[in-house]
Amino acid sequence: MTKFIICNWKMNLGNQDSIEFLNQIEMKSLNNDHQFIICPPYTSLGLVANNLKSKESDWHLGAQNCSDQDKGARTGDISAAMLKDLGCNYTILGHSERRQYHQESNESVKGKALKVITHGMIPIICVGETEEDYIQGKTIDVLTEQLSGSVPSNQCIVAYEPVWAIGTGKVPTIKEIETVHQSIDNVMQDLGFLNIPIVYGGSVKPDNINQILSKPTVSGVLIGGASIQPESMNAIIKEVCL
Ligand code: PEP
């Protein structure tokens, strides 16, 4: 089964930095078992798209958000059609940073996901519990609510990202990741959505990526911090592709 390696650059790497970064990356994967997806900021999407094309890379392009509207008076927003136009195949939606800093609701994530699907792309829908939820044993309840409210169909990827693991160096145990992924799959099945890829995100690094990817319930990883340093990105490529 192909595993997804999704790189979330967040609000990092402007045009010049993006190109310098890409020029230092060993992009030709040595096997076909992994689909790499780079998600730069909006401002670098066009440039990264052209760079990937010029290198005849099989890496895909993704965005980090989009509007739930098609066009019109939405200052500062970017539509799914515009992202498709730039060469995106994927769009991350409902990342915990957007839920936290932009008060994104499940309903709004669902609306965005529908636009992404309508324009022939795949939404990567993020869900995850806070540290408080985790400590109180509420993980599955929180995820069930997020999934029921934000996933519109089976044409998507779900990213399980415990909020307390993002950018902290803390990672759930492999057993916990497996158990939660199995629960997410059960919730999806109850909603009638079968065979949805579920990727894990939260402090994935070169030294833990293979152990996480080795589990059958894990369809890939979403990487933040380690995906914007050429050294760690090359180490990740080496780990998974060699
Ligand atoms: C993320 O941005 O979704 C993420 C998982 O970040 P990090 O890998 O830095 O924890």
Side-chain angles (χ1 to χ4, degrees):
M1 186 182 62
T2 302
K3 301 239 176 183
F4 297 96
I5 313 290
I6 306 163
C7 303
N8 177 14
W9 287 4
K10 309 194 185 193
M11 196 169 68
N12 295 294
L13 306 185
N15 279 342
Q16 181 74 23
D17 292 341
S18 297
I19 297 308
E20 275 172 25
F21 176 89
L22 293 173
N23 287 342
Q24 293 176 69
I25 295 302
E26 177 47 70
M27 230 176 260
K28 286 264 173 235
S29 32
L30 302 180
N31 61 41
N32 292 323
D33 298 340
H34 302 91
Q35 177 62 68
F36 284 82
I37 304 164
I38 304 188
C39 305
Y42 287 140
T43 49
S44 300
L45 279 171
L47 208 66
V48 171
N50 289 338
N51 191 278
L52 295 179
K53 211 183 274 172
S54 72
K55 292 190 165 114
E56 294 181 8
S57 164
D58 58 3
W59 287 26
H60 284 194
L61 188 69
Q64 300 174 18
N65 182 35
C66 79
S67 172
D68 61 358
Q69 301 295 311
D70 285 325
K71 62 177 174 180
R74 300 280 162 166
T75 304
D77 284 350
I78 304 285
S79 72
M82 292 167 177
L83 298 176
K84 182 67 182 170
D85 221 28
L86 281 170
C88 290
N89 298 113
Y90 298 86
T91 303
I92 297 172
L93 294 174
H95 191 282
S96 60
E97 288 152 14
R98 295 210 58 85
R99 291 179 188 263
Q100 182 183 353
Y101 301 127
H102 298 273
Q103 291 73 47
E104 282 198 1
S105 64
N106 292 324
E107 197 188 3
S108 125
V109 173
K110 190 181 206 167
K112 293 173 179 201
L114 283 168
K115 293 295 178 194
V116 167
I117 294 166
T118 302
H119 288 90
M121 298 179 287
I122 298 177
I124 300 164
I125 301 177
C126 302
V127 292
E129 80 284 6
T130 63
E131 187 148 40
E132 199 184 341
D133 297 328
Y134 173 73
I135 292 166
Q136 292 178 358
K138 292 185 186 160
T139 299
I140 303 306
D141 288 346
V142 168
L143 296 179
T144 302
E145 193 186 331
Q146 290 177 339
L147 291 163
S148 316
S150 57
V151 178
S153 82
N154 62 354
Q155 294 171 66
C156 73
I157 294 173
V158 167
Y160 168 52
E161 298 210 295
V163 179
W164 53 272
I166 296 177
T168 59
K170 294 188 213 165
V171 182
T173 64
I174 292 295
K175 187 88 213 111
E176 284 174 318
I177 294 176
E178 279 191 288
T179 308
V180 173
H181 279 225
Q182 189 54 60
S183 301
I184 291 175
D185 193 50
N186 294 344
V187 174
M188 291 289 91
Q189 286 192 38
D190 288 348
L191 292 169
F193 305 150
L194 307 183
N195 302 319
I196 293 195
I198 304 163
V199 303
Y200 168 79
S203 295
V204 173
K205 307 274 183 248
D207 61 3
N208 61 14
I209 190 167
N210 273 340
Q211 196 193 9
I212 295 170
L213 285 176
S214 70
K215 299 300 167 195
T217 55
V218 177
S219 304
V221 287
L222 200 162
I223 313 169
S227 76
I228 56 166
Q229 305 294 340
E231 301 76 25
S232 49
M233 196 56 213
N234 278 329
I236 281 169
I237 294 167
K238 216 167 171 184
E239 285 293 328
V240 301
C241 292
L242 294 180

